[in-house]
Amino acid sequence: MVEIRVAVKDDAVPHGLLERLAALFDRSSVSFDGSRNEVRVRSEWESRAVVEVIHAVQSWLAADGIASAELSVGDHSYTMVGPSLATPNGAR
C-alpha cells in the first residue's frame, strides 16, 4: 500500500483534482485533509497508480491555472509546477 499526498496552496481549490482522482480510484481511496490542505490517495503500490496521479495533478494544474503543488509518494516529495511556471515568462 502506498499513500500519495498532494499539498495544495491555500488559494488553490482542490475540487478539480479530487474529481480527477475519484475517476481513477475508488472514492474511498481519495480524501481531502482540510487541516493540512492535502489531497490523499491510498492505493496498491503500482507504478501505474503513481503515473495516473501525476497525470491527474498535471491536468488539474493546467486546467485550474494553479501555479504549483507538492506531490509526496512515500518518503519522497516533488514540486510540480503548472504550465505558466514551467516555461519562461509563461510563454508556450
Side-chain angles (χ1 to χ4, degrees):
M1 182 71 70
V2 64
E3 181 175 76
I4 304 168
R5 298 178 317 278
V6 181
V8 299
K9 305 277 185 192
D10 290 337
D11 60 344
V13 179
H15 299 298
L17 179 58
L18 288 166
E19 289 174 7
R20 285 172 172 78
L21 293 172
L24 298 171
F25 300 94
D26 292 333
R27 288 207 180 267
S28 62
S29 299
V30 179
S31 63
F32 179 68
D33 181 344
S35 66
R36 293 185 171 207
N37 227 25
E38 283 184 340
V39 174
R40 295 181 181 179
V41 178
R42 295 184 67 81
S43 177
E44 294 300 320
W45 181 250
E46 301 174 22
S47 61
R48 184 181 73 96
V50 175
V51 169
E52 287 176 339
V53 171
I54 289 170
H55 288 293
V57 172
Q58 288 174 328
S59 173
W60 169 68
L61 291 172
D64 289 7
I66 307 296
S68 66
E70 189 78 18
L71 176 73
S72 300
V73 180
D75 295 332
H76 302 286
S77 294
Y78 309 90
T79 300
M80 297 186 64
V81 297
S84 63
L85 291 181
T87 56
N89 299 324
R92 294 182 187 220

